[in-house]
Structures are given as structure tokens and as C-alpha cells.
Amino acid sequence: MSQKTVRLIDVTLRDAHQCLWATRMTTAMMADIAPRLDRAGFEAIDLAGGAVFDVCVRYLREDPWERMRILSQWVTRTPLIVMTRSQSLFTFEFFPDDIVALTAERIFANGVRYHTPYDALNDMRNMQVPVRAAKQVGLYVAGGVVYTLSPVHTDEYFARKTKELIALGVDAIYIKDASGLLTPERIETLAPAIKRVCGELPLQIHTHCLTGLAPYVVTRAVELGVDVVHTATSTLANGASHPATEHFVANARRRGFDVPIDLTAVEEVAERLRYIARREDKPLGDIVEYDAFHYEHQMPGGMISNIKSQLAAIGLENKLPAVLEEAARVRAELGYPIIVSPFAQFVMTQSVLNVMGKERYATVPDEVRKYVLGHYGEIAGPVDQNVFDRVTRGEAPNTERPGDLLEPAIPRLKRERGPFASDDDLLLAAFYAESEVKALRAAGPIRTDYPLAETPLATLLKEIALRPDIASFHLIERAA
């Protein structure tokens, strides 16, 4: 019997630093490591999407479209990936069909060939336009089925959602476990249930190490039929990030699988990332302890740390446990939304308001109201009737495809914000306020120089060249 081949997708350049470095890896930091990942033999390399696109614009002041073009010149063998949140694309707003379709065109035009859309509610009506548009321009599409834990999210539910997604014409399916909730026991039935529906279609798994179980879960998953695993270079693995590439490859090979990855190239990337982390004072991924409470509130680690800091700023850090307890309760009352963006933010915001206010649901954000009314899509479970009545105030819920409720946006954008030098600029105007776009343009082209070179001596020289306070230096070679 021939060995089964397991392929890997690298997430170092997107999700890994999003989880551990607050999404602050610059394009320049990628210059030396991207070509090495390209040589390693990955099926694809995850580059942009979600928070990465947003942080590029708002904080790094790097045009994400330009980043795609630059990386497509550095990475020439391996397809680059852009991930989108179905019709929310890169932000929390829900966009009209014409914006979604144009985004697919520009992703392809800027050198990307692999697309991984998902819908945060698993409402596959929201995937119709993203998948169709991506396929029309020539993108390989792996569609995500988002995993969560609740009484209504059963194997039958996930099999049904997978079948609906396959009907849209995707090239592959991936299980997206953004909160790291999968356990060895759960994957035993989930992976076979989805794989039976996939048939010959490749099945991928994307999970996080928030409870320390993901490295074993993905190893067991390939034994249960999963074909492709998403991993991160060890320096940026574990913690809130993903299983380490090096360790997964070793474990899978020991179990008899063929994993066509050049670990020498990956180890070179790990070494260089350690240098970047030291230079930039960034953390490395640590193995985390199992946390049973995580399976109740299901909040990603980054969100918990953000809320903790915000509560501390007003002297209420001691309220964090109560907020997390409330988050579990709110989620159940709202019909078990999956705790990924933007619904993680919605649930957490409502939980803070409930804990801090005099009465639960006395204040309800517009986004939570729109969710309950079906403006983002189908709700998996029943909404608590008392909460429903209070939130909707008698308004009837929407049952149509949410995209059908929105007018085309491109004519309005051209009229109000145009003319545009390119469709890339038009889309930036669709996603961001004029002030953000102006600040991005004022920052100029992306800088790609970083003091990292082939040898330690060359790296030292690049570092010195960046130090205006050093006018000269002496290099002394000592005998060994």
C-alpha cells in the first residue's frame, strides 16, 4: 500500500503573526523569509485577509494590494492565499455584490491565485457571490466551514453545510476552527462526517493551539481523511497560533505519511524569525495549558487580552471573569453565533454592556440588533424569546439572502469619492474612510529593506548602515 501524501499550507505570513504579533509583521520583515517558504514545498502560502488587510491600512500604512504585488514577485513557485469573510471581505461591514465581485478580480490581478473565503454564520447564501466571482477570474477556491461547539452544531449540521458549499463549485473544503475548540474526541466523528460529503474533493484543517490540543488534533485528522493541514513555522506557532510545521511533519512521517516539505528551508525561516522577534521585541509562541473554561466562552486569546486592557484602563480589570461568564450566556441567548469576527466582537460588546449596566440588554448595539433580525444571515439556533422581543422591538426578521438587500455600491463610490486612479483605490474607498486612505497614500510606497541578510556579518553591516549615530567602525578578526 502506497503512502498517503499530506500537503501543508503555511500561515506564517498571515495568521501566525496575527495571533502572536498583533498582526504587525511588515512587508520588509517578509523579504528574506518569503523566498525560503517558497522553496519549502507548501501547497500554498497564506498572505493577506481579515485583520492583516485592515492593519496594513490603519496601522502599518502599507497598501495591502501593493503587498500582494511585492510578495508575488518574491514567491514564484507557490500560490499565495488571500482570505475573505464572505461578503464582509476584510472588515466587519457587509458589502454589496458588486464590491465582492470586484474584490475577487483585484485579488487575482495583484498576483494571488488561491482564495479561502468563509462565512462567519455558515450561511452559504453569503458564499454564492464570493465563490462564483473567484472562480470566474481563475482563483483556486477552498471554502471554509466554520467549526464551533454548541447543542445545534452537530456532525449532521456540518455535513449539511459542507454539501451546500460544494454545490457552489469550490475546489476544496477546509474546517476553520478559529477558536481552537477541536478536541481529539470531537475530530473522531467530525472529520469522517465531512470527508464523506467531500468524496474526492480535498479536505483541509485550520485550527489554533489555544488549549494546547491542536498539534495532536491535526495529526489524528490526517489519519481520519484530512488531506491538507495549515501550519506555522515553529517560531510563530503554538499559543494562540497554529501547530508547528516542523513538529507536525516529524509526527506525520513517523506515522507513515509522506509530507513533501523541505524542513531545511523551514528551519532557516524559524532562525530568521527568532532574530526579527528579538530585534522588534516580539513574543515567540509558547505551548499553552488546557483550559476547560475556554470551551464555554470560546473567545480568541487576542480578544480577551484586548478586553482585559480596556477594563484595566478604567480600573475594572476584576470584571473580566464576569464578562467571560456573561459571554457564554449571551451566546446561548443569541442562538449560538460562531465566535469569529465579527460575531465575537458583537457577543463580547453585548456582554460588557450587560455586566456594566444596571439591566441586561438595556443597551443593545445596532450590530447585535441587525444580527438578530437576520441582516447578516441565517442564525443556527433559536434566539431566546425574551431577548428577541427586546432586541427587535417588533420588527420582522429578514429571510432573504442578505446581499439582496443592498444596492450596488460602485456607482455611488465613483460619484461621491471618485475619480479613482485604479480599481484598487476604489475598493480602498469602499472599505475605509477618506482620512484613512489619505494617510495610507501619504506614507508612500512600501519599504522592503530590512537588516537581515544571508550571513551574520552581512546582517551586522546592514544594521550598522541603518544607525545614523555610527560614523565609522573597526572590524577585528580574531584567531579561533
Side-chain angles (χ1 to χ4, degrees), residues 133 150 200 228 282 314 444 459:
S150 85
E200 295 301 313
V228 181
K282 300 293 187 186
I314 55 175
T459 297

Side-chain angles (χ1 to χ4, degrees), residues 111-162:
V112 174
R113 294 295 178 267
Y114 205 118
H115 187 36
T116 55
Y118 72 91
D119 183 67
L121 291 177
N122 283 328
D123 186 339
M124 298 312 166
R125 297 175 302 172
N126 293 335
M127 292 285 277
Q128 291 174 10
V129 175
V131 171
R132 182 175 69 243
K135 293 293 293 179
Q136 284 178 345
V137 299
L139 289 165
Y140 181 95
V141 180
V145 175
V146 188
Y147 175 75
T148 192
L149 187 66
S150 85
V152 299
H153 290 91
T154 62
D155 285 350
E156 292 74 19
Y157 167 90
F158 289 112
R160 183 176 75 254
K161 292 300 177 181
T162 301

Side-chain angles (χ1 to χ4, degrees), residues 49-85:
V52 169
F53 196 101
D54 203 47
V55 168
C56 276
V57 173
R58 296 182 187 274
Y59 302 103
L60 299 180
R61 300 305 186 194
E62 293 189 355
D63 185 339
W65 303 115
E66 185 184 359
R67 176 178 286 193
M68 294 178 204
R69 293 192 294 273
I70 291 170
L71 266 291
S72 67
Q73 295 173 355
W74 294 343
V75 177
T76 58
R77 307 179 189 179
T78 314
L80 293 170
I81 296 176
V82 167
M83 181 273 292
T84 58
R85 304 178 183 124

Side-chain angles (χ1 to χ4, degrees), residues 34-47:
R36 299 173 195 277
L37 290 171
D38 190 24
R39 296 198 300 267
F42 290 100
E43 172 168 317
I45 295 172
D46 202 3
L47 175 63

Side-chain angles (χ1 to χ4, degrees), residues 358-375:
K358 294 181 179 179
E359 185 180 0
R360 299 180 72 242
Y361 295 102
T363 303
V364 177
D366 288 342
E367 290 81 4
V368 173
R369 187 167 184 270
K370 287 170 66 177
Y371 158 79
V372 172
L373 286 168
H375 289 278

Side-chain angles (χ1 to χ4, degrees), residues 21 81 93 114 139 143 175 224 251-252 256 326 331 340 354 375 397 408 429 431 462-463:
W21 290 1
I81 296 176
E93 187 178 345
Y114 205 118
L139 289 165
I175 302 169
L224 295 165
N251 289 332
E326 178 67 10
R331 179 172 179 259
V340 294
N354 286 358
H375 289 278
F431 303 149
K462 289 187 76 173
E463 281 277 16

